């Protein structure tokens, strides 16, 4: 059976892009494979060191995952720092990770360029910690976006190198998990390419109905089609793309027809989109609120999650110690 691992950094709230691009697929996936989901608080510290907010962000993401349908009785969901074995495996793997290959990763170079005053060692060794996350469970598959493919490639390099150096067949070569046709990209409502935390254009799973309506009504459009079947401007195309995710086929067909015949009123289009987004988000938001306030439930989920995670991580770390020559007296 496939062993799948996915992590998310607790650096803010989840938005519609995270939901349709990742979370919704995870919810389905948990019934088909042995799934580990973790909240990557160590990773967050490479860019976000704010002790006043870290715990809160972890709690937010945890509540959002559970509210969206991750089932802690089926999948394993845990907080990275609750399983400090990952730090030991990261240290051991770092002995065979070359500085040159770490410096060459696109994400590291990007961070150096954007933040030349905070080029910390954690940023450089980010791919080693990520490899440790994955190899701790000997995960066979990792759902990754385009920006993470290079890191996963490095994980395979480290796994192969370890196996070769010690003459073992211990670590698997973890492959990207492909959602295929199910993988959708949610654009922003500001006429730009992608909805994202860094883009600051998110509709969040925790947004109230009113906030969602406001955000949608502000969406960028144009002055309207003047000829039948004219091409869509970026802003209007984005509205239709989000509709594909949240609205019924009838609704989409109705507005496409109105556009094609130049009778469309963008105000009506946006009102409909807002209501259809609310239909998806409102029940999730209500569950987020209920779960977030249930301290004892959250405590139990993370405790059980850490315990389940440690079953495989303890085994991996003691095996790696033995292979590398760390033996008990
Ligand atoms: P950041 O700006 O910090 O990179 P983000 O909003 O891009 O944040 P990530 O934490 O990078 O979100 O992504 C978490 C998951 O959500 C990934 O699997 C990613 O591919 C997916 N995802 C993020 N944004 C979108 C989007 N707009 N459409 C579809 N999937 C998305
Ligand atoms: Mg991203």
């Amino acid at each position: 059976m496939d062993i799948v691992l996915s992590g998310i950094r607790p650096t803010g709230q989840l938005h519609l892009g995270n939901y349709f691009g990742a979370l919704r697929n995870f919810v389905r996936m948990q019934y088909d494979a042995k799934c580990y989901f973790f909240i990557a608080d160590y990773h967050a510290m490479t860019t976000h060191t704010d002790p006043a907010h870290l715990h809160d962000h972890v709690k937010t993401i945890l509540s959002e995952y559970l509210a969206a349908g991750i089932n802690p009785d089926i999948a394993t969901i845990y907080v990275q720092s609750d399983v400090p074995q990952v730090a030991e495996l990261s240290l051991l793997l770092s002995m065979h990770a070359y500085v040159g290959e770490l410096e060459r990763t696109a994400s590291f170079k990007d961070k150096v360029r954007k933040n030349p005053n905070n080029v910390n060692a954690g940023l450089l060794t980010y791919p080693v910690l990520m490899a440790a996350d994955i190899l701790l469970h000997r995960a066979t598959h990792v759902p990754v976006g385009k920006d993470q493919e290079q890191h996963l490639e490095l994980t395979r390099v480290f796994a192969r190198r370890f196996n070769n150096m010690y003459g073992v067949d211990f670590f698997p070569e973890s492959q990207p998990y492909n959602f295929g046709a199910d993988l959708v990209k949610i654009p922003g409502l500001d006429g730009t390419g992608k909805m994202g935390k860094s883009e600051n254009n998110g509709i969040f799973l925790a947004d109230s109905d009113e906030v969602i309506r406001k955000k949608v009504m502000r969406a960028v459009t144009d002055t309207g089609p003047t000829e039948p079947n004219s091409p869509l401007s970026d802003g209007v195309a984005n509205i239709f793309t989000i509709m594909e995710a949240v609205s019924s086929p009838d609704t989409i067909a109705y507005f496409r027809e109105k556009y094609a015949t130049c009778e469309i009123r963008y105000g009506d289009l946006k009102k409909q989109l807002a209501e259809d987004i609310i239909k998806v988000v409102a029940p999730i938001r209500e569950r987020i609120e209920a779960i977030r306030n249930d301290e004892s439930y959250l405590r139990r989920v993370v405790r059980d999650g850490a315990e389940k995670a440690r079953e495989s991580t303890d085994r991996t770390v003691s095996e790696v110690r033995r292979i590398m020559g760390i033996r008990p007296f």
Side-chain angles (χ1 to χ4, degrees), residues 237-271:
N238 287 350
I239 292 183
F240 276 107
T241 303
I242 301 180
M243 270 201 149
E244 296 286 344
V246 296
S247 303
S248 73
D250 286 355
T251 303
I252 299 165
Y254 172 83
F255 283 103
R256 284 212 187 273
E257 172 67 22
K258 289 277 174 209
Y259 184 89
T261 56
C262 304
E263 292 168 276
I264 194 156
R265 292 217 306 255
Y266 289 142
D268 295 345
L269 176 73
K270 289 178 180 179
K271 271 198 199 110

Side-chain angles (χ1 to χ4, degrees), residues 131-145:
D133 293 320
I134 297 167
L135 296 175
L136 258 185
H137 302 290
R138 300 209 273 165
T140 57
H141 290 84
V142 184
V144 287

Side-chain angles (χ1 to χ4, degrees), residues 293-325:
N293 290 323
D294 195 344
E295 294 279 348
S296 69
Y297 174 66
L298 289 176
R299 228 182 344 255
R300 194 174 68 228
V301 167
V302 290
R303 196 195 50 217
D304 292 354
E307 201 170 301
K308 275 201 305 192
R310 277 196 217 110
E311 283 169 21
S312 57
T313 61
D314 283 348
R315 220 178 318 126
T316 303
V317 170
S318 51
E319 196 57 14
V320 169
R321 282 174 152 239
R322 194 190 59 74
I323 292 168
M324 291 182 80

